[in-house]
Amino acid sequence: MSFDDTFRWDGELTVTRHDRKTGASFVIRLDSTRLGPAAGGTRAAQYASFAGALEDAGKLAGAMTLKMAVSNLPMGGGKSVIALPAPRKDIDQVTWARILTLHAENIDKLRGNYWTGPDVNTNSADMDTLNETTEFVFGRSAERGGAGSSAFNTSLGVFEAMKATAAYRGLGTLDGLSVLIQGLGAVGSGLATIASEAGARLFVSDTDPERLASAEQLGHTVVGVDAVLSTPCDIFAPCAMGGVLNSEIASELPASAVVGAANNILADGEAGAILHERGILYAPDFVTNAGGAFHLVGREVLGWNQDTVEEHTRGIGDTLTEVYSIAQIENTTTDQAARILARRRVDTANVTVPA
Ligand code: NAI
Ligand code: PHE
Protein backbone atom coordinates (compact mmCIF):
# COMPACT_ATOMS: atom_id res chain seq x y z
CA MET A 1 0.00 0.00 0.00
CA SER A 2 1.41 3.42 -0.92
CA PHE A 3 1.61 6.47 1.35
CA ASP A 4 -1.25 8.02 -0.58
CA ASP A 5 -3.51 4.99 -0.22
CA THR A 6 -3.01 4.90 3.54
CA PHE A 7 -3.87 8.55 4.05
CA ARG A 8 -6.44 9.03 1.31
CA TRP A 9 -9.29 8.53 3.72
CA ASP A 10 -12.38 10.71 4.03
CA GLY A 11 -12.85 10.39 7.78
CA GLU A 12 -12.49 13.15 10.35
CA LEU A 13 -9.56 12.16 12.55
CA THR A 14 -6.88 9.53 13.08
CA VAL A 15 -5.00 9.09 16.36
CA THR A 16 -1.99 6.77 16.53
CA ARG A 17 0.52 5.75 19.15
CA HIS A 18 3.21 3.10 19.55
CA ASP A 19 4.36 1.60 22.83
CA ARG A 20 7.96 0.38 22.69
CA LYS A 21 7.63 -1.51 25.97
CA THR A 22 4.83 -3.87 24.85
CA GLY A 23 5.32 -3.57 21.08
CA ALA A 24 1.62 -2.65 20.67
CA SER A 25 0.49 0.02 18.21
CA PHE A 26 -2.76 1.92 18.63
CA VAL A 27 -5.14 3.45 16.10
CA ILE A 28 -8.38 5.31 16.71
CA ARG A 29 -10.26 6.55 13.67
CA LEU A 30 -13.26 8.85 13.82
CA ASP A 31 -15.09 8.48 10.52
CA SER A 32 -17.95 10.86 11.28
CA THR A 33 -19.37 12.79 14.23
CA ARG A 34 -22.19 14.29 12.20
CA LEU A 35 -24.99 12.37 13.97
CA GLY A 36 -23.31 12.37 17.39
CA PRO A 37 -20.05 11.31 19.05
CA ALA A 38 -18.27 8.62 17.07
CA ALA A 39 -18.81 5.15 18.53
CA GLY A 40 -17.35 1.76 17.70
CA GLY A 41 -15.56 -1.06 19.41
CA THR A 42 -11.93 -1.81 20.20
CA ARG A 43 -10.50 -4.60 18.05
CA ALA A 44 -7.27 -6.29 19.17
CA ALA A 45 -5.51 -8.29 16.47
CA GLN A 46 -2.22 -8.88 14.74
CA TYR A 47 -1.61 -6.99 11.50
CA ALA A 48 1.02 -7.56 8.83
CA SER A 49 1.78 -3.81 8.72
CA PHE A 50 0.81 -0.58 10.44
CA ALA A 51 -0.75 0.58 7.17
CA GLY A 52 -2.97 -2.52 7.31
CA ALA A 53 -4.12 -1.60 10.84
CA LEU A 54 -4.90 1.95 9.71
CA GLU A 55 -6.84 0.70 6.72
CA ASP A 56 -8.85 -1.76 8.80
CA ALA A 57 -9.68 0.88 11.43
CA GLY A 58 -10.83 3.26 8.66
CA LYS A 59 -13.09 0.70 7.00
CA LEU A 60 -14.53 -0.46 10.32
CA ALA A 61 -15.15 3.14 11.42
CA GLY A 62 -16.95 3.81 8.11
CA ALA A 63 -19.16 0.78 8.71
CA MET A 64 -20.06 2.15 12.16
CA THR A 65 -21.18 5.47 10.62
CA LEU A 66 -23.48 3.57 8.25
CA LYS A 67 -24.72 1.27 11.04
CA MET A 68 -25.67 4.16 13.35
CA ALA A 69 -27.33 6.11 10.54
CA VAL A 70 -29.36 3.23 9.12
CA SER A 71 -30.39 2.25 12.67
CA ASN A 72 -31.51 5.79 13.60
CA LEU A 73 -29.10 5.87 16.53
CA PRO A 74 -27.78 9.29 17.63
CA MET A 75 -24.10 8.43 17.23
CA GLY A 76 -21.41 8.79 14.61
CA GLY A 77 -18.93 6.15 13.55
CA GLY A 78 -15.46 5.36 14.82
CA LYS A 79 -13.30 2.37 15.64
CA SER A 80 -10.13 1.46 17.49
CA VAL A 81 -7.58 -1.09 16.44
CA ILE A 82 -4.83 -2.32 18.72
CA ALA A 83 -2.15 -3.99 16.61
CA LEU A 84 -0.78 -6.67 18.91
CA PRO A 85 2.84 -7.88 19.03
CA ALA A 86 1.65 -11.52 19.48
CA PRO A 87 -1.62 -13.49 19.36
CA ARG A 88 -4.00 -12.27 22.09
CA LYS A 89 -3.87 -15.63 23.87
CA ASP A 90 -0.08 -15.35 24.26
CA ILE A 91 -0.14 -11.90 25.89
CA ASP A 92 0.26 -12.04 29.68
CA GLN A 93 -2.05 -10.17 32.06
CA VAL A 94 0.42 -7.45 33.04
CA THR A 95 1.19 -6.61 29.40
CA TRP A 96 -2.51 -6.65 28.49
CA ALA A 97 -3.34 -4.33 31.40
CA ARG A 98 -0.68 -1.85 30.22
CA ILE A 99 -1.99 -2.03 26.64
CA LEU A 100 -5.54 -1.30 27.81
CA THR A 101 -4.43 1.58 30.03
CA LEU A 102 -2.56 3.26 27.18
CA HIS A 103 -5.54 2.77 24.88
CA ALA A 104 -7.83 4.30 27.52
CA GLU A 105 -5.48 7.31 27.80
CA ASN A 106 -5.76 7.85 24.05
CA ILE A 107 -9.57 7.62 24.19
CA ASP A 108 -9.71 10.03 27.11
CA LYS A 109 -7.76 12.66 25.19
CA LEU A 110 -10.60 12.72 22.64
CA ARG A 111 -12.87 14.08 25.42
CA GLY A 112 -16.03 12.25 24.47
CA ASN A 113 -15.80 12.65 20.70
CA TYR A 114 -15.20 8.88 20.60
CA TRP A 115 -16.86 6.15 22.67
CA THR A 116 -15.53 2.63 22.54
CA GLY A 117 -17.05 -0.79 23.31
CA PRO A 118 -16.23 -4.48 22.89
CA ASP A 119 -15.21 -6.01 19.57
CA VAL A 120 -13.06 -8.94 18.43
CA ASN A 121 -10.70 -9.93 21.27
CA THR A 122 -12.08 -7.46 23.80
CA ASN A 123 -14.90 -8.08 26.28
CA SER A 124 -16.82 -6.51 29.18
CA ALA A 125 -13.97 -7.17 31.64
CA ASP A 126 -11.66 -5.22 29.31
CA MET A 127 -14.23 -2.40 29.17
CA ASP A 128 -14.14 -2.32 33.00
CA THR A 129 -10.37 -1.94 32.83
CA LEU A 130 -10.60 0.88 30.25
CA ASN A 131 -13.18 2.56 32.47
CA GLU A 132 -10.62 2.89 35.27
CA THR A 133 -8.91 5.51 33.07
CA THR A 134 -11.69 6.93 30.89
CA GLU A 135 -15.46 7.34 31.12
CA PHE A 136 -16.06 6.99 27.36
CA VAL A 137 -16.74 3.25 27.37
CA PHE A 138 -19.85 1.22 26.50
CA GLY A 139 -20.37 -2.41 27.48
CA ARG A 140 -18.88 -2.49 30.98
CA SER A 141 -20.03 -5.40 33.13
CA ALA A 142 -23.43 -5.09 34.83
CA GLU A 143 -21.64 -4.99 38.24
CA ARG A 144 -19.87 -1.82 37.09
CA GLY A 145 -23.12 -0.29 35.84
CA GLY A 146 -22.66 -1.14 32.14
CA ALA A 147 -24.88 -2.94 29.63
CA GLY A 148 -22.57 -5.99 29.49
CA SER A 149 -21.97 -8.10 26.41
CA SER A 150 -23.71 -7.07 23.20
CA ALA A 151 -23.24 -10.49 21.63
CA PHE A 152 -26.61 -12.08 22.30
CA ASN A 153 -28.53 -9.10 20.97
CA THR A 154 -26.33 -9.15 17.88
CA SER A 155 -27.23 -12.83 17.36
CA LEU A 156 -30.91 -11.98 17.72
CA GLY A 157 -30.61 -9.25 15.08
CA VAL A 158 -28.83 -11.57 12.65
CA PHE A 159 -31.59 -14.14 13.20
CA GLU A 160 -34.26 -11.53 12.36
CA ALA A 161 -32.22 -10.56 9.29
CA MET A 162 -32.09 -14.21 8.23
CA LYS A 163 -35.85 -14.64 8.51
CA ALA A 164 -36.53 -11.49 6.47
CA THR A 165 -33.94 -12.46 3.85
CA ALA A 166 -35.23 -16.02 3.48
CA ALA A 167 -38.76 -14.70 3.02
CA TYR A 168 -37.70 -12.05 0.46
CA ARG A 169 -35.58 -14.58 -1.45
CA GLY A 170 -38.59 -16.90 -1.68
CA LEU A 171 -37.10 -19.57 0.57
CA GLY A 172 -39.96 -19.43 3.09
CA THR A 173 -39.24 -19.82 6.80
CA LEU A 174 -35.97 -21.05 8.31
CA ASP A 175 -37.57 -24.42 9.08
CA GLY A 176 -35.62 -27.00 7.07
CA LEU A 177 -33.21 -24.51 5.45
CA SER A 178 -29.48 -25.23 5.53
CA VAL A 179 -27.55 -22.46 7.31
CA LEU A 180 -23.75 -22.46 7.30
CA ILE A 181 -22.25 -20.45 10.18
CA GLN A 182 -18.59 -19.48 9.86
CA GLY A 183 -17.32 -18.68 13.36
CA LEU A 184 -18.91 -20.05 16.52
CA GLY A 185 -17.79 -17.28 18.86
CA ALA A 186 -19.99 -15.11 21.05
CA VAL A 187 -22.34 -14.13 18.19
CA GLY A 188 -22.13 -17.26 16.00
CA SER A 189 -22.89 -19.66 18.86
CA GLY A 190 -25.94 -17.63 19.97
CA LEU A 191 -27.13 -17.53 16.37
CA ALA A 192 -26.67 -21.30 16.08
CA THR A 193 -28.91 -21.83 19.11
CA ILE A 194 -31.75 -19.61 17.90
CA ALA A 195 -31.58 -20.73 14.26
CA SER A 196 -31.66 -24.41 15.17
CA GLU A 197 -34.63 -23.78 17.49
CA ALA A 198 -36.36 -22.31 14.43
CA GLY A 199 -35.75 -25.57 12.55
CA ALA A 200 -32.69 -24.65 10.45
CA ARG A 201 -30.23 -27.44 9.60
CA LEU A 202 -26.90 -26.16 10.81
CA PHE A 203 -23.48 -26.50 9.22
CA VAL A 204 -20.74 -24.94 11.33
CA SER A 205 -17.08 -24.07 11.03
CA ASP A 206 -14.47 -22.66 13.40
CA THR A 207 -10.71 -22.68 13.80
CA ASP A 208 -11.18 -23.63 17.46
CA PRO A 209 -11.65 -27.43 17.84
CA GLU A 210 -13.29 -27.08 21.29
CA ARG A 211 -16.07 -24.92 19.88
CA LEU A 212 -16.62 -27.42 17.08
CA ALA A 213 -16.74 -30.36 19.49
CA SER A 214 -19.62 -28.80 21.46
CA ALA A 215 -21.46 -27.92 18.24
CA GLU A 216 -21.07 -31.49 17.01
CA GLN A 217 -22.54 -32.76 20.27
CA LEU A 218 -25.60 -30.64 19.57
CA GLY A 219 -26.00 -32.47 16.25
CA HIS A 220 -24.68 -29.76 13.90
CA THR A 221 -22.59 -30.77 10.89
CA VAL A 222 -18.97 -29.63 11.04
CA VAL A 223 -17.41 -28.17 7.89
CA GLY A 224 -13.61 -27.79 7.54
CA VAL A 225 -12.28 -24.23 7.55
CA ASP A 226 -11.06 -24.57 3.95
CA ALA A 227 -14.34 -26.10 2.71
CA VAL A 228 -16.66 -23.35 3.97
CA LEU A 229 -16.80 -21.30 0.80
CA SER A 230 -17.46 -24.29 -1.44
CA THR A 231 -20.10 -26.03 0.70
CA PRO A 232 -23.62 -25.66 -0.73
CA CYS A 233 -26.19 -24.12 1.63
CA ASP A 234 -29.31 -21.97 1.55
CA ILE A 235 -27.85 -19.24 3.78
CA PHE A 236 -24.19 -18.52 4.38
CA ALA A 237 -23.59 -16.68 7.70
CA PRO A 238 -20.08 -15.21 8.09
CA CYS A 239 -19.67 -14.61 11.83
CA ALA A 240 -15.87 -14.57 12.14
CA MET A 241 -13.76 -11.94 10.40
CA GLY A 242 -14.54 -9.49 7.57
CA GLY A 243 -13.38 -9.52 3.95
CA VAL A 244 -14.53 -13.12 3.32
CA LEU A 245 -16.19 -12.43 -0.01
CA ASN A 246 -14.03 -11.08 -2.83
CA SER A 247 -15.13 -11.11 -6.47
CA GLU A 248 -13.58 -14.50 -7.18
CA ILE A 249 -15.33 -16.18 -4.24
CA ALA A 250 -18.60 -14.36 -4.95
CA SER A 251 -18.54 -15.85 -8.48
CA GLU A 252 -18.50 -19.39 -7.09
CA LEU A 253 -20.32 -19.21 -3.73
CA PRO A 254 -22.93 -22.02 -3.67
CA ALA A 255 -25.55 -20.22 -1.53
CA SER A 256 -28.90 -18.47 -2.07
CA ALA A 257 -28.30 -15.73 0.49
CA VAL A 258 -25.56 -14.27 2.69
CA VAL A 259 -26.56 -13.02 6.16
CA GLY A 260 -23.86 -12.69 8.81
CA ALA A 261 -22.56 -10.71 11.78
CA ALA A 262 -19.01 -10.02 10.59
CA ASN A 263 -18.25 -6.36 9.87
CA ASN A 264 -17.22 -5.64 6.25
CA ILE A 265 -18.08 -9.03 4.76
CA LEU A 266 -17.50 -7.79 1.21
CA ALA A 267 -13.80 -7.42 0.37
CA ASP A 268 -14.66 -5.10 -2.54
CA GLY A 269 -17.64 -3.46 -4.26
CA GLU A 270 -17.31 -5.84 -7.20
CA ALA A 271 -18.19 -8.81 -4.94
CA GLY A 272 -21.55 -7.17 -4.12
CA ALA A 273 -22.28 -6.68 -7.82
CA ILE A 274 -21.46 -10.31 -8.62
CA LEU A 275 -23.71 -11.62 -5.84
CA HIS A 276 -26.47 -9.37 -7.21
CA GLU A 277 -26.02 -10.67 -10.78
CA ARG A 278 -26.07 -14.27 -9.55
CA GLY A 279 -29.31 -13.73 -7.60
CA ILE A 280 -27.62 -14.32 -4.24
CA LEU A 281 -29.38 -12.03 -1.78
CA TYR A 282 -26.79 -10.24 0.35
CA ALA A 283 -27.94 -8.72 3.67
CA PRO A 284 -25.63 -5.70 4.21
CA ASP A 285 -23.63 -6.32 7.39
CA PHE A 286 -24.04 -2.84 8.83
CA VAL A 287 -27.82 -3.35 8.85
CA THR A 288 -27.77 -7.00 9.92
CA ASN A 289 -25.35 -6.73 12.87
CA ALA A 290 -26.79 -3.58 14.47
CA GLY A 291 -28.20 -5.54 17.44
CA GLY A 292 -24.98 -4.88 19.38
CA ALA A 293 -25.28 -1.13 18.80
CA PHE A 294 -28.98 -1.19 19.81
CA HIS A 295 -27.97 -2.94 23.01
CA LEU A 296 -25.06 -0.65 23.94
CA VAL A 297 -26.35 2.72 22.76
CA GLY A 298 -29.96 1.87 23.61
CA ARG A 299 -29.20 0.89 27.19
CA GLU A 300 -26.40 3.32 27.98
CA VAL A 301 -27.29 6.48 26.01
CA LEU A 302 -31.04 6.29 25.41
CA GLY A 303 -32.01 4.62 28.70
CA TRP A 304 -33.94 1.79 27.00
CA ASN A 305 -34.95 -1.29 28.94
CA GLN A 306 -34.34 -4.79 27.57
CA ASP A 307 -37.78 -4.98 25.93
CA THR A 308 -37.20 -1.76 23.99
CA VAL A 309 -33.75 -2.95 22.91
CA GLU A 310 -35.32 -6.18 21.66
CA GLU A 311 -38.13 -4.36 19.86
CA HIS A 312 -35.62 -2.25 17.91
CA THR A 313 -33.47 -5.29 17.21
CA ARG A 314 -36.43 -7.22 15.81
CA GLY A 315 -37.00 -4.20 13.53
CA ILE A 316 -33.80 -5.11 11.66
CA GLY A 317 -35.92 -7.50 9.57
CA ASP A 318 -38.15 -4.62 8.40
CA THR A 319 -35.18 -2.36 7.68
CA LEU A 320 -33.68 -5.09 5.49
CA THR A 321 -36.92 -5.59 3.62
CA GLU A 322 -36.90 -1.83 2.92
CA VAL A 323 -33.28 -2.13 1.71
CA TYR A 324 -34.23 -4.99 -0.64
CA SER A 325 -37.08 -3.03 -2.13
CA ILE A 326 -34.86 0.05 -2.65
CA ALA A 327 -32.37 -2.23 -4.44
CA GLN A 328 -35.15 -3.47 -6.71
CA ILE A 329 -36.55 0.00 -7.44
CA GLU A 330 -33.12 1.57 -8.02
CA ASN A 331 -31.82 -1.52 -9.81
CA THR A 332 -28.72 -1.59 -7.67
CA THR A 333 -26.96 -3.91 -5.22
CA THR A 334 -28.33 -4.36 -1.72
CA ASP A 335 -25.10 -2.88 -0.32
CA GLN A 336 -25.63 0.30 -2.36
CA ALA A 337 -29.32 0.35 -1.41
CA ALA A 338 -28.44 0.21 2.31
CA ARG A 339 -26.01 3.10 1.77
CA ILE A 340 -28.83 5.06 0.09
CA LEU A 341 -31.07 4.42 3.11
CA ALA A 342 -28.29 5.43 5.55
CA ARG A 343 -27.67 8.62 3.53
CA ARG A 344 -31.40 9.47 3.59
CA ARG A 345 -31.42 9.11 7.34
CA VAL A 346 -28.36 11.33 7.74
CA ASP A 347 -29.90 13.93 5.43
CA THR A 348 -33.20 14.03 7.30
CA ALA A 349 -31.64 13.95 10.79
CA ASN A 350 -32.03 17.16 12.70
CA VAL A 351 -28.35 17.94 13.12
CA THR A 352 -26.19 21.01 12.80
CA VAL A 353 -23.22 20.48 10.57
CA PRO A 354 -20.11 22.64 11.02
CA ALA A 355 -19.45 24.85 7.98
P1 NAI B 1 -15.61 -13.88 18.69
O1 NAI B 1 -14.16 -13.55 18.72
O2 NAI B 1 -16.30 -14.26 19.96
O3 NAI B 1 -15.86 -15.07 17.64
C1 NAI B 1 -15.21 -15.22 16.43
C2 NAI B 1 -15.11 -16.73 16.16
O4 NAI B 1 -14.64 -16.92 14.83
C3 NAI B 1 -14.15 -17.48 17.10
O5 NAI B 1 -14.78 -18.63 17.60
C4 NAI B 1 -12.97 -17.83 16.18
O6 NAI B 1 -12.32 -19.01 16.57
C5 NAI B 1 -13.69 -17.98 14.85
N1 NAI B 1 -12.85 -17.86 13.67
C6 NAI B 1 -11.81 -17.02 13.43
N2 NAI B 1 -11.31 -17.21 12.19
C7 NAI B 1 -12.09 -18.18 11.61
C8 NAI B 1 -12.10 -18.81 10.34
N3 NAI B 1 -11.22 -18.49 9.39
N4 NAI B 1 -13.03 -19.76 10.10
C9 NAI B 1 -13.93 -20.09 11.04
N5 NAI B 1 -13.96 -19.53 12.28
C10 NAI B 1 -13.05 -18.59 12.55
O7 NAI B 1 -16.31 -12.62 18.00
P2 NAI B 1 -17.86 -12.23 18.03
O8 NAI B 1 -18.10 -11.24 19.10
O9 NAI B 1 -18.68 -13.46 17.95
O10 NAI B 1 -17.99 -11.41 16.66
C11 NAI B 1 -18.02 -12.08 15.41
C12 NAI B 1 -18.07 -11.05 14.28
O11 NAI B 1 -19.23 -10.24 14.42
C13 NAI B 1 -16.87 -10.08 14.26
O12 NAI B 1 -16.52 -9.80 12.93
C14 NAI B 1 -17.43 -8.83 14.95
O13 NAI B 1 -16.80 -7.64 14.51
C15 NAI B 1 -18.87 -8.87 14.47
N6 NAI B 1 -19.79 -8.16 15.34
C16 NAI B 1 -19.87 -8.47 16.66
C17 NAI B 1 -20.75 -7.79 17.48
C18 NAI B 1 -20.90 -8.12 18.93
O14 NAI B 1 -21.79 -7.56 19.56
N7 NAI B 1 -20.10 -9.04 19.49
C19 NAI B 1 -21.61 -6.72 16.96
C20 NAI B 1 -21.46 -6.50 15.54
C21 NAI B 1 -20.57 -7.19 14.78
N1 PHE C 1 -18.26 -3.84 18.05
C1 PHE C 1 -19.67 -4.01 17.90
C2 PHE C 1 -20.13 -3.52 16.52
O1 PHE C 1 -19.37 -3.55 15.59
C3 PHE C 1 -20.46 -3.46 19.07
C4 PHE C 1 -20.37 -1.97 19.31
C5 PHE C 1 -21.39 -1.15 18.88
C6 PHE C 1 -19.32 -1.40 20.04
C7 PHE C 1 -21.36 0.23 19.14
C8 PHE C 1 -19.29 -0.03 20.30
C9 PHE C 1 -20.32 0.77 19.85
O2 PHE C 1 -21.27 -3.19 16.29
Side-chain angles (χ1 to χ4, degrees), residues 43 119-120 150 154 183-187 206-207 211 239-240 261-263 289:
R43 173 167 299 199
D119 198 73
V120 174
S150 53
T154 305
L184 283 176
V187 177
D206 203 293
T207 42
R211 291 188 172 163
C239 295
N263 281 301
N289 69 18

Side-chain angles (χ1 to χ4, degrees), residues 15-28 41-57 60 79-88 91 95-96 98-100 102-103 106 120-122:
V15 172
T16 67
R17 181 174 182 178
H18 178 72
D19 178 41
R20 204 181 288 271
K21 195 163 172 186
T22 57
S25 297
F26 304 84
V27 180
I28 303 175
T42 296
R43 173 167 299 199
Q46 285 190 283
Y47 288 87
S49 65
F50 189 60
L54 275 174
E55 191 192 17
D56 200 28
L60 289 163
K79 201 89 176 189
S80 313
V81 157
I82 303 176
L84 298 174
R88 171 66 190 93
I91 294 181
T95 306
W96 183 237
R98 177 180 166 86
I99 289 173
L100 289 179
L102 293 180
H103 180 45
N106 302 340
V120 174
N121 278 327
T122 59

Side-chain angles (χ1 to χ4, degrees), residues 44-354:
Q46 285 190 283
Y47 288 87
S49 65
F50 189 60
L54 275 174
E55 191 192 17
D56 200 28
K59 284 187 179 165
L60 289 163
M64 292 309 298
T65 301
L66 292 166
K67 189 180 314 192
M68 296 300 180
V70 90
S71 306
N72 280 324
L73 286 168
M75 306 296 289
K79 201 89 176 189
S80 313
V81 157
I82 303 176
L84 298 174
R88 171 66 190 93
K89 64 176 172 41
D90 297 338
I91 294 181
D92 63 72
Q93 263 186 328
V94 174
T95 306
W96 183 237
R98 177 180 166 86
I99 289 173
L100 289 179
T101 302
L102 293 180
H103 180 45
E105 283 176 13
N106 302 340
I107 294 170
D108 207 56
K109 285 181 180 144
L110 292 167
R111 298 183 182 178
N113 285 297
Y114 169 67
W115 283 74
T116 199
D119 198 73
V120 174
N121 278 327
T122 59
N123 57 25
S124 285
D126 299 323
M127 296 306 115
D128 289 347
T129 305
L130 293 178
N131 188 228
E132 285 164 17
T133 304
T134 183
E135 66 184 284
F136 306 114
V137 182
F138 294 135
R140 287 164 298 148
S141 62
E143 303 82 72
R144 300 281 192 97
S149 169
S150 53
F152 179 72
N153 217 60
T154 305
S155 312
L156 183 66
V158 178
F159 174 66
E160 293 298 325
M162 238 176 222
K163 287 195 293 186
T165 304
Y168 201 91
R169 180 66 181 71
L171 300 170
T173 69
L174 293 188
D175 196 7
L177 293 189
S178 53
V179 172
L180 198 171
I181 302 180
Q182 180 188 43
L184 283 176
V187 177
S189 59
L191 175 64
T193 305
I194 336 178
S196 86
E197 277 166 13
R201 289 183 294 119
L202 289 195
F203 294 76
V204 294
S205 180
D206 203 293
T207 42
D208 180 342
E210 273 179 37
R211 291 188 172 163
L212 285 180
S214 19
E216 215 165 10
Q217 273 181 354
L218 293 170
H220 308 326
T221 306
V222 169
V223 175
V225 170
D226 295 333
V228 168
L229 300 166
S230 55
T231 298
C233 59
D234 292 309
I235 302 177
F236 173 48
C239 295
M241 301 303 274
V244 278
L245 297 183
N246 60 24
S247 19
E248 205 181 319
I249 292 163
S251 309
E252 304 285 332
L253 191 77
S256 300
V258 176
V259 187
N263 281 301
N264 297 335
I265 290 172
L266 302 179
D268 50 62
E270 188 60 20
I274 294 170
L275 293 177
H276 181 69
E277 277 160 26
R278 295 187 59 220
I280 299 175
L281 192 54
Y282 168 66
D285 45 39
F286 58 85
V287 182
T288 300
N289 69 18
F294 281 128
H295 175 80
L296 297 172
V297 178
R299 293 289 292 272
E300 298 194 29
V301 177
L302 302 170
W304 291 349
N305 61 21
Q306 192 48 39
D307 287 347
T308 311
V309 169
E310 231 181 272
E311 198 183 306
H312 282 268
T313 304
R314 292 201 185 274
I316 286 174
D318 290 339
T319 306
L320 267 180
T321 306
E322 191 178 348
V323 165
Y324 296 148
S325 76
I326 293 173
Q328 221 161 12
I329 293 162
E330 305 281 338
N331 189 25
T332 187
T333 66
T334 53
D335 185 63
Q336 283 305 325
R339 286 166 196 267
I340 291 171
L341 185 60
R343 171 60 41 206
R344 277 186 200 159
R345 291 187 171 174
V346 172
D347 289 345
T348 54
N350 187 15
V351 287
T352 317
V353 189

